[in-house]
Amino acid sequence: MVKRKIISALLLVVMVVSMVPFTAMADPFYNLWQRVDDGWVYWDANGHKASGWNKIGKTWYYFDPEDNLMLADQWLWEDNSKGQRVGYHFNSDGAMEKNKWIVWSETDSKNWMYLGADGATVIGWKRISKDWYWFDNELPEENLYYGVMARDRQVDNLYYVGSDGKMVTNKWVKVEDAPGYYTFWSYYDANGVMANKGWKKINKKWYWFASDGIAAIGTCKIMYSGTMKPFYFDEFNADLRTGWFHKTHNSETWYYAYPDTGVIACDTSVTYKGKVYKFDETGRCLNP
């Protein structure tokens, strides 16, 4: 009789236990990766599924807050402290990538970006290896995001980047073609800064640049010793002409600019090698 009661009691315990859900009985996972149907989830030290940003070991990962799935081989875009949209990229293993070049759109190989040490797409200036690059801090119409590497244009007001994105230094850059056969040029020095607002000596020759960085060509009146004086700059090379010169390569008219100042002799006489030459108000020599 006693044995029958013990068996009945054991059967009752078994029935109660079988009614308890498995999840209530199973111990939670801790610090564990779990493969699920749609990807990977991670159980943290508190036994919770990781959500949002999580650093696991030495690597950063991101888990979608809606389904806790790890992002892999895709972008995450967030606003930085300046309200700029920056991107983070995760490789096929889900690890956040950093310190590397990457194309943000597979449909346009020209849209290069660079992931910095913090994993975010770089905005503004960045030195990579030995070269400086500019990544847009504004949103050009053709770009959807900040941080696209600039090419073949002026950036940050005083600098220029070439077709490879590198900041140019010690280099003349063609700005545009002027009417006729002339070309406008700008010059960028050893620091990449555009020459502007005045005189600059480059390779032993003198040039004059306007506030927009365009090198003067032809006859220009420039302030000298408190007075506007005429100077002449070569139409092709933009360098200051001194001594005897023609204004155009196919002209037979002679002009003279004082070697020490570059000012064109106008409405005056100049003694040169024992001969007196006369010049009218435009600077043309009347007795060459």
Side-chain angles (χ1 to χ4, degrees):
M1 188 67 178
V2 174
K3 186 176 180 181
R4 184 177 298 175
K5 289 182 179 181
I6 292 175
I7 293 175
S8 298
L10 289 173
L11 289 174
L12 180 60
V13 170
V14 171
M15 292 177 62
V16 171
V17 170
S18 65
M19 295 174 63
V20 178
F22 173 77
T23 55
M25 294 185 61
D27 291 333
F29 296 125
Y30 297 98
N31 301 320
L32 180 69
W33 287 96
Q34 182 184 17
R35 175 72 179 179
V36 294
D37 291 339
D38 297 322
W40 288 90
V41 297
Y42 184 79
W43 296 83
D44 63 22
N46 297 314
H48 301 141
K49 287 183 179 180
S51 178
W53 285 101
N54 278 261
K55 190 175 185 180
I56 303 173
K58 297 181 179 181
T59 305
W60 281 98
Y61 299 84
Y62 188 84
F63 300 85
D64 191 324
E66 294 186 2
D67 55 18
N68 301 104
L69 290 178
M70 177 193 74
L71 297 191
D73 199 21
Q74 63 188 106
W75 285 91
L76 170 69
W77 296 93
E78 294 184 331
D79 289 341
N80 63 13
S81 59
K82 297 181 180 179
Q84 298 167 319
R85 201 74 168 163
V86 296
Y88 300 85
H89 192 264
F90 303 88
N91 64 21
S92 58
D93 293 325
M96 181 193 76
E97 298 186 287
K98 58 184 179 180
N99 298 320
K100 68 171 293 184
W101 288 97
I102 192 168
V103 177
W104 76 267
S105 173
E106 294 182 357
T107 60
D108 189 349
S109 60
K110 293 182 179 180
N111 284 337
W112 282 98
M113 291 181 166
Y114 190 82
L115 303 174
D118 61 353
T121 48
V122 172
I123 295 175
W125 286 108
K126 174 70 175 177
R127 188 173 188 177
I128 303 171
S129 295
K130 296 181 179 180
D131 297 297
W132 285 96
Y133 298 82
W134 173 262
F135 299 89
D136 284 324
N137 62 346
E138 296 181 352
L139 286 179
E141 292 182 1
E142 67 272 17
N143 294 335
L144 299 178
Y145 303 104
Y146 297 93
V148 173
M149 185 192 76
R151 296 168 179 259
D152 261 336
R153 59 184 171 90
Q154 191 177 53
V155 298
D156 201 20
N157 298 320
L158 294 175
Y159 304 87
Y160 194 91
V161 292
S163 58
D164 57 2
K166 297 177 182 179
M167 180 185 75
V168 302
T169 57
N170 297 319
K171 184 176 182 180
W172 287 94
V173 174
K174 180 179 177 181
V175 179
E176 61 181 70
D177 291 325
Y181 56 85
Y182 303 116
T183 298
F184 290 141
W185 295 89
S186 291
Y187 183 80
Y188 297 84
D189 65 18
N191 295 315
V193 178
M194 178 182 69
N196 66 101
K197 298 181 181 180
W199 293 96
K200 187 171 182 65
K201 194 174 187 179
I202 304 169
N203 295 328
K204 299 181 179 181
K205 294 183 178 182
W206 283 101
Y207 302 84
W208 192 88
F209 296 88
S211 58
D212 61 1
I214 302 297
I217 57 174
T219 301
C220 301
K221 284 194 172 183
I222 301 170
M223 185 65 68
Y224 178 78
S225 296
T227 307
M228 299 297 289
K229 298 289 186 180
F231 296 82
Y232 183 78
F233 301 89
D234 188 272
E235 291 100 333
F236 296 100
N237 302 321
D239 57 309
L240 176 69
R241 301 300 301 271
T242 59
W244 291 98
F245 64 90
H246 296 298
K247 281 195 174 182
T248 58
H249 292 275
N250 58 359
S251 172
E252 297 182 357
T253 302
W254 283 100
Y255 297 82
Y256 183 81
Y258 297 102
D260 55 340
T261 65
V263 175
I264 298 174
C266 296
D267 196 21
T268 189
S269 298
V270 174
T271 300
Y272 181 78
K273 292 185 177 181
K275 180 179 178 179
V276 177
Y277 295 89
K278 295 181 179 180
F279 301 88
D280 66 13
E281 64 278 3
T282 67
R284 292 184 298 174
C285 182
L286 301 177
N287 60 329

